[in-house]
Amino acid sequence: MLKKLFKSKPKYVNFDEKYTTLSAEEESIVDMITDDIRQFVKQNNKGKSYDHHTRAVHAKGYCALKAKFEVLDNLPAEYAQGVYATPGIHDAVIRFSNAAATIAPDRRLGMGIGLSFKVFDVPGPKLTPDEPDAPTMDFALVNAPVFFTNKLEDYAYLSKLNFGLNSYLDGSKLNKAKFVFNWLTKYGKELPDFEGLKTLNAFRKLATISPKNPWLYDYFSQGVVRHGDYMGKIRVTPTKESIKKINDPDLHLFSEDETVRKALLKEISEHDYQFEVQIQLCRNLKKQPIEELTTEWKESEAPFVTVAKLTIPCQDVPEDGNFEAMEHLSFTTFRALEENRPIGRIQQSRLRAYQTSSEVRHEQNQVKRKEPTSLRQVFDKTYF
């Protein structure tokens, strides 16, 4: 009882500007990454059953859905930071996608699922250099708490390796072995080391996620974000009440080619759904490292605290999942307030990576690239 009475208030690690910059050498690595993305997006529909150019990753969109984003009132001061400092309800749009860099039957792509959402009417300048006045803020999350690499120089070759993932994982044991060999040795240039094994294990966790209805997963920021005076990670988790609403929790990937989109649309056509948006503040840099993205922050050591609600109302969606909306929209974690910016070396590289992928994709698809200012524009087929 006395321990509880005199228990000290938790201390959080202060935000540090050093996590927002890259050296000249690191910028040159980002040049390589963006060049690879540019070339990949230009040719990623060649020889495929689809004719549009896709994103460099999260190529297969499942659906775009109307939503509401509500910042909660009376948050503790350390959590009421940036966009979370002002309570209120905003329109939002969600894009569910597969994390892979290609489009294929769901059973071949696996269950790495992305949940991106765009929040409207967020005042203040954004970090996107070409759209600083955008009235929107983006979130990009995946149903895995870790990223597959820690070093920017490794990210350069691993992202390129992932572009060809579909050809490696065709069911052939030989091709799977080639993929592992190339991952661990940087295409035969180096001997395997502990870092390579660590990153391969992180990738394996994403590639072997157990199938279930996508509404039931937790979704994570993977990288770290600034949270005003502090630093943290983001999790979006379904509410207990919403989990109970799911009629078909299991997903059978081998029953047909397209099971994920059908599962998502079936549930949202029958009932509404709600996620809690949570922040996990860093308390100890050794236990919650900023740059070690393959390390999961234990919830027992750094709890998640709910700061907002993401509500998806019951809605009828066409069989294609609102194809034009989910393909023409662009999401970037840098369409954010300074107080909520991504931090860390890998995260900084995403600014130009997202921008390059979006610019080339829209150019190749001959679609005007512009940021909607309202939910109505998103679903207006004459807007883009």
Side-chain angles (χ1 to χ4, degrees), residues 32-37 39-40 43 56-57 101 148-149 152-168 179 182-183 187 189:
M32 294 169 50
I33 294 170
T34 55
D35 285 345
D36 288 340
I37 289 173
Q39 294 306 313
F40 176 73
Q43 55 79 42
V57 290
F148 60 81
T149 187
L152 195 55
E153 55 268 33
D154 290 347
Y155 183 42
Y157 87 89
L158 292 178
S159 59
K160 192 171 184 176
L161 184 59
N162 278 322
F163 291 157
L165 180 62
N166 201 43
S167 61
Y168 284 105
F179 177 81
N182 288 337
W183 184 293
Y187 295 95
K189 295 178 181 178

Side-chain angles (χ1 to χ4, degrees), residues 136-350:
T136 48
M137 180 168 170
D138 293 351
F139 295 77
L141 311 154
V142 179
N143 60 337
V146 297
F147 195 58
F148 60 81
T149 187
N150 299 313
K151 297 179 179 180
L152 195 55
E153 55 268 33
D154 290 347
Y155 183 42
Y157 87 89
L158 292 178
S159 59
K160 192 171 184 176
L161 184 59
N162 278 322
F163 291 157
L165 180 62
N166 201 43
S167 61
Y168 284 105
L169 305 184
D170 61 355
S172 161
K173 291 183 178 179
L174 177 60
N175 278 341
K176 289 181 180 179
K178 286 181 179 178
F179 177 81
V180 172
F181 174 80
N182 288 337
W183 184 293
L184 293 176
T185 66
K186 299 184 181 180
Y187 295 95
K189 295 178 181 178
E190 297 181 8
L191 291 173
D193 58 14
F194 178 72
E195 182 67 20
L197 291 170
K198 187 165 59 173
T199 61
L200 182 61
N201 185 55
F203 176 80
R204 179 191 60 80
K205 289 179 180 179
L206 178 62
T208 58
I209 292 173
S210 298
K212 63 181 177 181
N213 195 305
W215 289 111
L216 298 176
Y217 288 118
D218 289 341
Y219 295 88
F220 302 84
S221 59
Q222 297 189 307
V224 184
V225 298
R226 177 181 180 182
H227 190 75
D229 297 331
Y230 310 107
M231 300 179 287
K233 291 187 177 184
I234 304 169
R235 179 175 73 178
V236 169
T237 185
T239 63
K240 292 180 181 178
E241 294 78 9
S242 290
I243 290 174
K244 293 177 182 177
K245 293 180 180 180
I246 296 298
N247 297 309
D248 298 306
D250 298 322
L251 201 68
H252 304 287
L253 290 179
F254 290 87
S255 60
E256 52 186 317
D257 286 349
E258 304 298 330
T259 58
V260 177
R261 181 182 293 119
K262 288 184 178 181
L264 285 164
L265 300 190
K266 182 176 183 296
E267 296 293 344
I268 207 60
S269 70
E270 296 173 350
H271 54 80
D272 59 0
Y273 203 78
Q274 190 173 68
F275 291 98
E276 293 183 353
V277 180
Q278 302 177 325
I279 297 295
Q280 183 185 32
L281 291 181
C282 176
R283 299 187 179 198
N284 184 311
L285 285 174
K286 290 184 178 180
K287 294 181 178 180
Q288 295 103 42
I290 305 301
E291 300 286 8
E292 289 285 320
L293 302 189
T294 58
T295 299
E296 182 176 357
W297 293 8
K298 293 181 181 179
E299 189 172 358
S300 59
E301 297 171 342
F304 285 96
V305 173
T306 300
V307 295
K309 296 287 182 71
L310 183 65
T311 303
I312 304 92
C314 180
Q315 56 196 279
D316 291 323
V317 184
E319 288 185 6
D320 66 1
N322 289 315
F323 178 82
E324 289 87 356
M326 65 182 175
E327 286 307 306
H328 299 337
L329 285 172
S330 293
F331 294 90
T332 169
T333 53
F334 279 84
R335 191 174 288 114
L337 301 171
E338 169 60 38
E339 294 87 347
N340 305 111
R341 66 173 299 145
I343 59 175
R345 288 188 295 273
I346 295 290
Q347 289 274 70
Q348 298 316 298
S349 73
R350 298 172 81 181

Side-chain angles (χ1 to χ4, degrees), residues 81-127:
Q81 306 267 337
V83 71
Y84 311 104
T86 307
I89 299 176
H90 305 252
D91 282 340
V93 59
I94 289 176
R95 181 182 189 261
F96 278 102
S97 61
N98 190 280
T102 190
I103 297 176
D106 292 335
R107 61 178 172 272
R108 188 168 180 177
L109 295 177
M111 288 303 294
I113 304 294
L115 186 158
S116 296
F117 60 96
K118 186 182 298 292
V119 179
F120 292 92
D121 298 319
V122 177
K126 308 307 185 302
L127 299 174

Side-chain angles (χ1 to χ4, degrees), residues 21-31 152 352:
T21 59
L22 293 175
S23 67
E25 182 180 356
E26 289 167 336
E27 289 287 2
S28 68
I29 295 174
V30 177
D31 288 339
L152 195 55
R352 289 169 57 195

